[in-house]
Amino acid sequence: MIVDLLERGGDLREEADVCVIGSGAGGAVVAAVLAEAGLSVVVLEQGQHHTRADFDQREETMLPRLFEEAGMRQTEDGSVTILQGRGIGGSTVHNLCYCFRAPPPVLRLWRERHGLPELTDEALAPSFERVEHGLGVVPIREDEVNALNRLVRRGAEKLGYSGFVAKHNRRGCVQSGYCLLGCSYDAKLSMLITYVPRADAAGARIYASVRARRIEADARGAHRVHAEVVDPTGTALGLVRVRSRVVVLAAGAIATPILLKESGLAGESGQVGRNLHLHPAVMAAGIFEEPFAPYRGIPQSYYIDEFIDLDRDPESGVILMPIAGFPGLTAANLPGFGREHFRFLRAFDRTAGLLALLHDRSAGEVEPGPSPARPRIRYRLDADDARALAEGLVHCAEVLMAAGAREVLIPYFDAPLVVRSTAELAEIRRRGVRQGAIPIASTHPQSTCRMGGDPATAVVDAFGECFHVPRLFVADMSVFPTSLGAPPQITTAALADRTAHHILARREELFAGS
Amino acid sequence: MSAGKSATKQGLGAPAGMASGPPPLRRRDFLRLLSSGPALSSLARLRAVPAPAPTDAATGTFFSEREREILAAVVERMVDTGEPSAPAVRETGTLATIDRLVGSLDAEVSSPLRPLLLLLEWAPPLFDLRFSRFTALGPAEQDAHLEGWRRSRLGFRRRAFYALRNLAFLGYWTQEETWPLIGYAGPLLRAGPPPGAGAPP
């Protein structure tokens, strides 16, 4: 049963074995696994329930439907835009489907430095296998690599850089290119059409347009969730109360710590809301002579890993990945206005975007803001990370020029830089990456309720349960002890699967008498 | 009472000879604008149009007629392409798109926009000592004035510039009649969903 309470109206009281807050890569998996095991499950999702019929491939309608703050969530200083999903299926509805397991060197780091000896490759393998099967993860075929990605690969191969065509979770893809705006063909195997229907079929009660406001706990643990029915602008229209034996918090790395803080829970370590990593990314735009419709086809398939060596350093590195947008998004990311701006935008169908995405050590924090929908997010790149991002931009420009770009734009806000030869790359290093001087974006906020072995330095244990609040679990990207250094969808889902199976293993204890 | 004192008490009034312009920027609006940094900062990355929520009782729109005039002048400069074939802003649905967007946003985000437009209209005398409203300037002067906002040392002016710039881009470049200028073929859905589209595993 999936009910949008905005349409139904009124207040709601529910009882269940498990209340899951959030329906994205973590929450949907937990809900499906537990419901299929026979537990009664209620899911609360702040956003609405949109399906393929709603996905009209237009920016002006889809961005507000699928993104928190209509795609304009930012750090407090405005320097980093954070694109985060909302609605049933969460960020998996708009993501671009790169599928990677957690890199083994990063798992080793988590085991050795964060007191998590349980997180071995072998121990996690069953969870990875289950979610990869559940999401239909397969290699992207050669014939599915679009013109944009072929260009980028050409440049990387010419330079001898390491790269490969990744895996994805699509089936029957028609290669329209509108993945970012929701798949109109249900070819993207997001949570919306995989785990959410499984949870639904197993009897989970899934409520959309419900924002959790407070989790209630006593000495025995979490047992009640207070929430409200909200419209898309955040106006509260009704009250929801769910009594449950277990609460699973999977609202994402921004909302999850805020809910814990506003509930006054799990704060003993002082780490709730801290250690925010963003995988911040900057873009170079290569302008080519001939049109190639970069916005058509699978947006991201090729992946350049030349500049990340996790065996050598599991805490840093830069990944390069192609990116294309639509007119409004692209215009907003190009510098200047009027004719200066149009000089770049007129090359829309001849422009290849290449992102440098940072595996960041820099850490920010999240706090409740002036309203529930507007959290306070702070993040500063440290000097090493800023240098690494700048170097990543240099490599983006190199690759694009090797691919045949006539010129490469580095979109500094005040003085855009156009590079036409390798001799000019030094100017990128000279200007560097300064927050506020160049667009920086994030789609992977993480680590704000980090997992660890020590209750003094971590918020949750190796299975996602809060150290100081029994029966309260976290199952989203908040739990990553460090930046992941790879696209996070599969790792988020696998850790959530592991948490769900752990809950089932403790079924007698947690649900006695249920 | 001098005109200046009147302005201090009631708002920043129109210079002589401009009585028929938009309503003056009230002091409280200006203060509100100055304190709205984070909201404007968010608007600077604006990329979306939620469902409409009319706020003007007379017109059913967020912006009043006069505010729309200022907005139109700003958008025209922001999206000036120099191309003879480019559709004029007022001949497209640009302003309606922006209006729907702003009218439906969280009030914390949208409320600074009205005073911002009024401030911009009266900013030439305030910031440039040029005794003309923004809408009365010529295109080159308007561009120079906007450039002043873009490169201002005041953070709120820079954020306001990007808020208006990105509103303009989102409003204009999502209009189908602008797409031939940039070679965008538009959504594929017009042909209907293809047969054999994916199914869950």
Side-chain angles (χ1 to χ4, degrees):
Chain A
M1 177 183 79
I2 304 176
V3 178
D4 194 323
L5 288 184
L6 197 57
E7 294 161 9
R8 174 184 171 274
D11 297 342
L12 177 76
R13 285 185 182 226
E14 275 280 15
E15 289 195 20
D17 292 325
V18 182
C19 178
V20 180
I21 301 168
S23 64
V29 171
V30 170
V33 171
L34 297 185
E36 287 173 345
L39 294 176
S40 66
V41 176
V42 165
V43 179
L44 306 180
E45 165 56 51
Q46 177 178 242
Q48 293 187 278
H49 181 212
H50 296 295
T51 63
R52 77 186 241 182
D54 301 311
F55 302 154
D56 65 1
Q57 304 184 340
R58 298 193 64 117
E59 296 168 274
E60 68 272 30
T61 49
M62 291 322 304
L63 291 173
R65 287 178 179 168
L66 299 184
F67 291 89
E68 289 288 359
E69 297 183 50
M72 57 188 176
R73 171 164 283 179
Q74 289 188 316
T75 52
E76 195 171 47
D77 64 359
S79 67
V80 185
T81 300
I82 300 172
L83 290 170
Q84 236 194 331
R86 62 178 284 125
I88 298 287
S91 292
T92 69
V93 177
H94 77 251
N95 74 11
L96 300 183
C97 299
Y98 271 140
C99 289
F100 288 81
R101 293 188 180 191
V106 174
L107 286 179
R108 188 167 61 240
L109 174 75
W110 293 0
R111 288 195 297 272
E112 294 174 357
R113 284 212 222 138
H114 291 269
L116 296 164
E118 305 93 331
L119 296 188
T120 61
D121 298 343
E122 297 73 27
L124 288 174
S127 289
F128 278 120
E129 285 163 13
R130 280 193 291 267
V131 299
E132 286 170 346
H133 176 74
L135 293 172
V137 176
V138 293
I140 297 173
R141 298 191 316 263
E142 275 299 317
D143 65 298
E144 294 176 317
V145 178
N146 77 349
L148 166 67
N149 284 264
R150 286 199 303 271
L151 272 180
V152 169
R153 177 160 65 178
R154 186 168 78 196
E157 288 177 349
K158 202 166 168 185
L159 294 168
Y161 289 163
S162 170
F164 55 92
V165 177
K167 294 179 178 178
H168 69 159
N169 55 317
R170 298 180 180 89
R171 178 175 296 177
C173 177
V174 301
Q175 302 182 41
S176 69
Y178 290 92
C179 311
L180 185 70
L181 304 181
C183 182
S184 311
Y185 314 104
D186 279 352
K188 179 196 286 189
L189 301 178
S190 70
M191 293 296 162
L192 180 64
I193 63 163
T194 55
Y195 279 88
V196 169
R198 277 174 54 180
D200 182 24
R205 289 156 280 165
I206 303 166
Y207 296 105
S209 301
V210 179
R211 180 168 61 203
R213 296 304 307 275
R214 189 165 62 87
I215 298 166
E216 203 176 317
D218 58 21
R220 294 178 53 207
H223 59 87
R224 202 185 305 269
V225 176
H226 300 265
E228 56 197 13
V229 181
V230 288
D231 72 10
T233 63
T235 305
L237 302 168
L239 296 175
V240 175
R241 186 179 295 180
V242 182
R243 209 171 80 176
S244 65
R245 303 292 186 98
V246 163
V247 175
V248 179
L249 187 43
I254 305 297
T256 284
I258 287 174
L259 189 49
L260 286 178
K261 280 175 177 269
E262 292 190 329
S263 303
L265 297 174
E268 287 81 354
S269 67
Q271 299 301 316
V272 172
R274 300 185 65 185
N275 313 304
L276 171 69
H277 300 297
L278 288 176
H279 279 178
V282 289
M283 182 195 72
I287 299 169
F288 290 76
E289 293 289 352
E290 298 298 325
F292 59 94
Y295 51 87
R296 289 281 189 255
I298 290 176
Q300 290 180 331
S301 53
Y302 195 67
Y303 185 93
I304 299 174
D305 63 348
E306 173 74 19
F307 310 104
I308 186 163
D309 182 353
L310 296 171
D311 284 317
R312 186 181 58 78
D313 181 355
E315 290 187 284
S316 68
V318 173
I319 300 154
L320 308 190
M321 45 180 71
I323 189 73
F326 308 106
L329 279 169
T330 302
N333 280 291
L334 294 175
F337 71 100
R339 296 182 191 191
E340 175 198 7
H341 177 266
F342 185 65
R343 184 199 149 202
F344 301 116
L345 186 64
R346 76 185 315 158
F348 174 77
D349 65 343
R350 294 181 284 121
T351 299
L354 188 56
L355 290 175
L357 181 145
L358 180 72
H359 178 29
D360 52 334
R361 277 196 180 93
S362 304
E365 60 186 332
V366 178
E367 288 180 358
S371 76
R374 300 190 63 78
R376 192 163 280 136
I377 305 167
R378 299 189 188 91
Y379 181 86
R380 298 302 300 172
L381 278 171
D382 68 28
D384 287 343
D385 275 355
R387 265 193 298 276
L389 259 187
E391 204 58 33
L393 261 184
V394 170
H395 296 312
C396 287
E398 282 176 337
V399 169
L400 291 166
M401 281 192 288
R406 187 183 66 198
E407 56 187 21
V408 176
L409 168 68
I410 310 297
Y412 292 106
F413 288 123
D414 286 346
L417 176 63
V418 176
V419 176
R420 295 187 181 83
S421 72
T422 52
E424 294 170 334
L425 294 175
E427 180 63 10
I428 302 175
R429 292 193 178 94
R430 194 187 69 75
R431 294 199 196 184
V433 170
R434 284 189 301 109
Q435 286 176 260
I438 191 168
I440 302 175
S442 164
T443 53
H444 304 157
Q446 54 196 294
S447 305
T448 49
C449 297
R450 69 184 180 191
M451 182 181 277
D454 182 355
T457 58
V459 179
V460 300
D461 67 16
F463 290 100
E465 187 169 15
C466 289
F467 278 116
H468 301 281
V469 190
R471 299 168 183 270
L472 176 57
F473 293 80
V474 178
D476 58 31
M477 286 163 63
S478 318
V479 303
F480 294 176
T482 66
S483 164
L484 184 64
Q489 171 181 232
I490 297 300
T491 302
T492 306
L495 289 178
D497 173 272
R498 185 166 180 273
T499 293
H501 282 88
H502 172 74
I503 291 171
L504 290 176
R506 291 172 56 196
R507 192 170 185 158
E508 293 295 318
E509 169 208 345
L510 293 172
F511 305 105
S514 176
Chain B
M1 183 182 287
S2 73
K5 284 180 182 174
S6 174
T8 303
K9 193 169 182 179
Q10 299 174 5
L12 299 169
M18 297 182 191
S20 63
L25 184 74
R26 293 166 301 179
R27 183 172 178 274
R28 71 179 184 200
D29 289 337
F30 186 72
L31 293 174
R32 195 176 180 191
L33 176 66
L34 291 177
S35 65
S36 64
L40 287 172
S41 174
S42 289
L43 275 168
R45 299 290 190 281
L46 205 51
R47 295 166 177 169
V49 185
T55 55
D56 185 295
T59 63
T61 58
F62 181 85
F63 293 113
S64 68
E65 252 335 286
R66 285 183 166 181
E67 288 161 349
R68 282 167 72 93
E69 284 300 309
I70 305 168
L71 181 64
V74 173
V75 175
E76 279 170 358
R77 300 318 309 149
M78 292 290 190
V79 303
D80 174 38
T81 63
E83 294 289 318
S85 62
V89 169
R90 288 182 173 84
E91 292 169 2
T92 68
T94 300
L95 298 179
T97 298
I98 295 172
D99 197 278
R100 278 198 304 276
L101 163 62
V102 174
S104 59
L105 288 174
D106 188 302
E108 191 189 339
V109 176
S110 62
S111 61
L113 274 169
R114 283 200 179 101
L116 169 59
L117 284 174
L118 296 174
L119 175 62
L120 188 100
E121 173 71 339
W122 296 112
L126 281 173
F127 293 125
D128 298 346
L129 297 178
R130 186 191 294 271
F131 290 97
S132 174
R133 289 176 286 117
F134 178 80
T135 51
L137 295 173
E141 294 168 315
Q142 288 178 328
D143 285 352
H145 184 70
L146 289 171
E147 197 66 41
W149 284 70
R150 175 188 178 189
R151 299 181 188 280
S152 172
R153 295 176 64 180
L154 298 174
F156 91 88
R157 282 185 80 195
R158 289 198 305 275
R159 288 194 290 272
F161 168 83
Y162 281 104
L164 291 173
R165 185 193 88 127
N166 290 352
L167 268 178
F169 290 166
L170 186 72
Y172 187 73
W173 293 111
T174 54
Q175 304 301 310
E176 292 192 24
E177 50 276 50
T178 67
W179 294 344
L181 288 167
I182 57 173
Y184 177 53
L188 287 177
L189 263 184
R190 287 180 275 204

